[in-house]
Amino acid sequence: MKALLIAEYKDGEILGSYAELIGFAGRLGAESAMFLVGNKDNLPQYDGRLYLADVASCGEFDPDGHKQLLLETIEKENPDVIVFSHSSYGWDLAPRIAFAVGAAQVSEVVEIVDGNYIVPACNAKLQRTVKSGTEKCVITLQAGAFSLPDDPTGTPEVIEMNCSPAARVEFSGYEQAEQGGVDLSKSEIIVSAGRGIGKPENVTLIADLAEALGGDYGASRPVVDSEWVEHNRQVGTTGQSVAPKLYMACGISGAIQHLAGMKKSDFIVAINTDKDAPIGEVADVLVVADLKQFVPLLTEKIKSL
Amino acid sequence: MKILVCIKQVPDMESKFKIDSENKWYDSADLAWRMNEYDEYGVEQAVRLKEQVKDADLTVLCIGPDKVKETMKKALAMGCDRGVHLVDDAISAKDPFTVASIIAEFARDKDFQYIFTGMQSQDRGSAQVGVLVAEMLSLPCITTIVDFEYTEGKVTTRRELEGGVKAVVSVSGPAVFTCQLGLNTPRYPTLPNIMKAKKKELLSIPVEEIVQVENKLQTEKIAYPEKKGTGLILEGDAGELADQLISILKEKTGVLA
């Protein structure tokens, strides 16, 4: 079994998620090689062949150009499985590669059992076991599913590649997240509002509880997308990653992207009417209640302590 | 300008899902159905583009059994000009490659300048179909867009990356875009527009007449995830729950100490 691991480079840095690709190859017991459009001065800790194309000439985002480089690498390595992170880079490039090599793609793999892949469905309320029907298979890995206990080690054997940018699309740079506002990554207590708050007026219930606890309030993606709470309070993959002493998730069902941003919290309380909500998987305490009734009561009791 | 937007009908994700008798997918009985949330943003963006360029024809496409027409009517009421229903009672057994093949085959030779899809569906979440359609049609594709500006034949988008960072990416059409949540604010159809939508063309074509391909993936089985959560579950009277929670917080966190 041979695996080709696709590392990522963004905004001048190699991303640490490559370690999870190594973890996955280890789980498969696969011989692996790695691919990166990056920089010689910033290499992964990796004990194997690294196909490296220079980002300065290839561009950080050029799907056609990166696809071409990858196809050349696949030609040389002939891997059985081509492994991406399930990330903005991975889900953009993986289907292009799968189509080009005629392979099946399995997205967001969380586990492997008897050579079959386990993937979540319906907000992780269900799990599918899927099997590739093609000789080669392209997969993307859910963040954190195949983490290594320690940092990887090794110095790669670099095989340099040249590219000819294809650029049907033009990448003109990054826009950083909005600055200012609250830095939740430093907060010790966070109370977050999810879709279950129902309407914008109920944000005050969450803010009041946060204040009574001496903390800050945050929100999950749907609440931010509805513009009920500003973006710089969003917790999750595309918002802030937090690790407070106490995280209270109010009306948050627990989408994977939200969990990824808050599961390192020391103590997690979830308030939800749905006893089976995925947030229960990470919560230390799940209060099964209507937050509109429960949160104001709790706030009053805390204030009167 | 011809524009295509592809939508999917999915169950409300708050539903209690039951596994079907073949152990391959969820049981579709007793579920409330709606438009895939990501696709709503796609429909809204397509309608806005049509409103901006004026001279445009916007088709909404959906694959599935008869009941998907209900969801298509919403897209028509939001402003799509016509609907194409690719009739397929077995759509839930088809993988992203097969679904994309059907869409691409329908779209081929129809000169769509812009094609919009959601970045993923809420039930499968593969995030493959839009990109595969683009690859099959040899079109450029920009994924996960949270901003779309059209100016004189050029589209500038913002792709959402991790950690709140956005990449600015431009393309000239024809092109495919996959839409992320927060791209815009999807409109609610007004009553007059709901009435008008009833008169709009909604063409049904059996999917067998479009293309027949083999799945590349097989679903072996479906199951409920193993409950790993070892947390405490509190239920009952709200006042008592609040007291219990305060005691726990004092004991376990030191937050209220």
Side-chain angles (χ1 to χ4, degrees):
Chain A
M1 170 74 86
K2 279 180 82 174
L4 179 64
L5 314 178
I6 318 303
E8 294 182 31
Y9 191 90
K10 189 174 81 182
D11 214 1
E13 296 287 335
I14 182 170
L15 302 189
S17 53
Y18 77 81
E20 298 182 13
L21 308 175
I22 297 172
F24 177 80
R27 281 287 306 281
L28 273 183
E31 180 200 333
S32 69
M34 192 177 280
F35 170 90
L36 173 70
V37 179
N39 185 310
K40 260 195 275 190
D41 301 328
N42 192 353
L43 294 176
Q45 306 278 309
Y46 177 64
D47 189 15
R49 287 184 299 284
L50 172 71
Y51 290 81
L52 180 72
D54 181 40
V55 69
S57 49
C58 301
E60 288 197 15
F61 182 75
D62 174 6
D64 295 327
H66 289 207
K67 180 174 88 174
Q68 198 48 48
L69 286 165
L70 252 170
L71 292 178
E72 287 168 26
T73 310
I74 291 166
E75 181 87 35
K76 286 180 190 147
E77 284 291 318
N78 194 22
D80 303 290
V81 59
I82 300 150
V83 193
F84 292 83
S85 298
H86 192 67
S87 61
S88 55
Y89 185 82
W91 66 58
D92 186 273
L93 203 47
R96 303 179 200 261
I97 297 301
F99 179 68
V101 301
Q105 183 188 333
V106 187
S107 302
E108 209 177 3
V109 172
V110 295
E111 189 51 274
I112 334 162
V113 177
D114 301 331
N116 293 330
Y117 300 109
I118 313 281
V119 297
C122 300
N123 236 348
K125 288 185 172 184
L126 297 168
Q127 274 193 338
R128 293 165 64 216
T129 301
V130 297
K131 184 178 178 179
S132 167
T134 56
E135 210 172 294
K136 286 194 195 313
C137 184
V138 173
I139 62 170
T140 68
L141 304 182
Q142 190 186 91
F146 297 93
S147 299
L148 287 172
D150 300 305
D151 288 342
T153 54
T155 307
E157 175 201 337
V158 175
I159 300 156
E160 290 189 40
M161 305 184 81
N162 294 314
C163 64
S164 43
R168 283 187 296 177
V169 301
E170 178 193 340
F171 167 58
S172 47
Y174 295 106
E175 284 180 2
Q176 300 301 322
E178 294 162 46
Q179 296 299 311
V182 57
D183 181 3
L184 292 177
S185 65
K186 295 194 171 71
S187 304
E188 297 213 322
I189 299 165
I190 299 171
V191 184
S192 275
R195 202 196 291 261
I197 66 168
K199 53 184 180 180
E201 294 86 292
N202 289 337
V203 172
T204 53
L205 303 181
I206 307 304
D208 287 349
L209 175 57
E211 192 187 348
L213 285 163
D216 293 302
Y217 71 94
S220 67
R221 172 163 205 142
V223 174
V224 172
D225 282 342
S226 302
E227 299 180 355
W228 298 352
V229 170
E230 59 270 40
H231 180 265
N232 55 28
R233 290 184 185 272
Q234 184 180 319
V235 174
T237 317
T238 53
Q240 300 194 46
S241 287
V242 300
K245 281 185 186 167
L246 172 63
Y247 189 85
M248 292 186 70
C250 305
I252 293 175
S253 65
I256 291 149
Q257 295 79 3
H258 187 80
L259 298 184
M262 50 64 78
K263 65 184 176 192
K264 288 185 182 156
S265 306
D266 288 346
F267 198 82
I268 299 168
V269 176
I271 299 160
N272 207 300
T273 48
D274 181 3
K275 201 173 167 178
D276 297 322
I279 191 83
E281 286 294 304
V282 298
D284 295 285
V285 178
L286 172 63
V287 179
V288 184
D290 180 349
L291 72 93
K292 294 179 278 295
Q293 190 191 5
F294 178 74
V295 169
L297 253 170
L298 180 65
T299 306
E300 278 314 306
K301 284 181 185 277
I302 289 171
K303 278 186 185 167
S304 64
L305 286 177
Chain B
M1 180 190 290
K2 288 177 75 179
I3 309 166
L4 177 69
V5 57
C6 306
I7 65 170
K8 181 177 182 182
Q9 188 183 52
V10 295
D12 187 315
M13 286 301 127
E14 301 301 311
S15 308
K16 299 268 181 213
F17 288 93
K18 288 182 203 149
I19 291 170
D20 68 12
S21 57
E22 291 176 354
N23 229 15
K24 294 286 170 79
W25 196 221
Y26 53 74
D27 184 345
S28 62
D30 303 325
L31 291 170
W33 297 84
R34 49 167 295 170
M35 194 189 303
N36 179 41
E37 201 175 358
Y38 297 86
D39 303 344
E40 282 189 31
Y41 292 89
V43 171
E44 176 63 32
Q45 202 57 56
V47 172
R48 286 186 189 192
L49 177 60
K50 170 185 142 65
E51 289 169 344
Q52 184 188 344
V53 301
K54 308 281 193 299
D55 184 21
D57 183 89
L58 170 53
T59 300
V60 57
L61 177 150
C62 188
I63 312 172
D66 246 17
K67 68 179 161 62
V68 305
K69 283 184 186 163
E70 284 311 308
T71 297
M72 297 186 74
K73 282 177 189 162
K74 181 177 180 187
L76 292 172
M78 285 172 77
C80 296
D81 295 306
R82 68 197 69 253
V84 173
H85 171 210
L86 303 182
V87 186
D88 188 352
D89 290 336
I91 187 66
S92 66
K94 293 184 175 165
D95 72 0
F97 172 78
T98 300
V99 173
S101 301
I102 296 167
I103 296 170
E105 211 45 49
F106 170 78
R108 202 180 298 281
D109 305 328
K110 289 198 175 63
D111 294 326
F112 290 111
Q113 184 72 0
Y114 297 110
I115 299 176
F116 295 88
T117 71
M119 72 150 287
Q120 62 182 355
S121 64
Q122 289 174 280
D123 55 355
R124 291 269 174 151
S126 83
Q128 295 178 35
V129 171
V131 188
L132 287 173
V133 168
E135 290 295 306
M136 290 168 182
L137 295 173
S138 301
L139 296 178
C141 176
I142 304 180
T143 51
T144 333
I145 63 167
V146 287
D147 191 45
F148 179 99
E149 288 168 29
Y150 172 84
T151 319
E152 293 170 3
K154 187 177 176 185
V155 174
T156 301
T157 65
R158 281 165 182 75
R159 293 187 70 224
E160 185 175 68
L161 311 180
E162 290 70 21
V165 179
K166 296 181 180 105
V168 182
V169 182
S170 314
V171 68
S172 297
V176 178
F177 304 92
T178 79
C179 303
Q180 170 64 297
L181 306 177
L183 167 63
N184 47 46
T185 306
R187 68 193 67 190
Y188 288 105
T190 59
L191 188 59
N193 284 341
I194 292 170
M195 300 312 288
K196 270 188 219 162
K198 291 185 177 180
K199 293 183 185 143
K200 289 182 180 175
E201 181 188 1
L202 209 173
L203 183 67
S204 289
I205 308 171
V207 80
E208 299 78 24
E209 291 179 14
I210 304 291
V211 71
Q212 294 192 46
V213 294
E214 292 281 314
N215 280 350
K216 290 184 184 290
L217 278 182
Q218 277 87 46
T219 298
E220 295 289 293
K221 63 172 183 179
I222 192 156
Y224 299 107
E226 214 175 288
K227 288 276 174 202
K228 293 181 197 141
T230 48
L232 182 65
I233 297 176
L234 301 180
E235 288 178 281
D237 171 75
E240 287 171 20
L241 287 180
D243 290 332
Q244 277 178 298
L245 183 58
I246 287 169
S247 305
I248 293 169
L249 292 181
K250 281 182 175 171
E251 191 188 332
K252 305 270 188 184
T253 70
V255 164
L256 295 171

